[in-house]
Amino acid sequence: MTVTEVAAEFSVTRSAISQHLLVLADAGLVTADKVGRQRIYRVLPGGLHRLQAEIDRFWTLELDQLVEDANSLRRRR
């Protein structure tokens, strides 16, 4: 997708989307191919798999308990 196509899906500016895509590209989650004056962005599945592995490594039973405690507290209010 082009930046314009991605931006059409969100309520933020095209410039903000462009900045976010640059961060995602730096992180290895998307790549951009220049076609004429446009950049076509696509997701890199390997980058997403690495991100998921990192989240899985980080997410512990303690965090699951914290989420449950927060939900329980919210329900009581």
Side-chain angles (χ1 to χ4, degrees):
M1 297 176 82
T2 65
V3 173
T4 301
E5 291 169 328
V6 174
E9 301 294 322
F10 298 95
S11 62
V12 296
T13 66
R14 186 176 167 274
S15 176
I17 294 296
S18 186
Q19 290 173 13
H20 281 84
L21 287 168
L22 288 174
V23 170
L24 293 173
D26 285 345
L29 299 175
V30 300
T31 189
D33 297 315
K34 192 166 184 175
V35 178
R37 292 178 33 204
Q38 295 183 323
R39 291 192 182 278
I40 307 298
Y41 286 87
R42 63 184 166 87
V43 172
L44 292 174
L48 291 181
H49 293 322
R50 287 190 303 278
L51 176 60
Q52 184 63 57
E54 187 65 22
I55 290 170
D56 290 345
R57 186 183 68 77
F58 173 76
W59 198 269
T60 63
L61 293 176
E62 289 83 3
L63 286 174
D64 287 335
Q65 185 60 53
L66 179 63
V67 169
E68 181 55 38
D69 290 347
N71 288 334
S72 178
L73 182 62
R74 185 181 58 194
R75 285 190 296 268
R76 282 188 238 148
R77 289 185 178 178

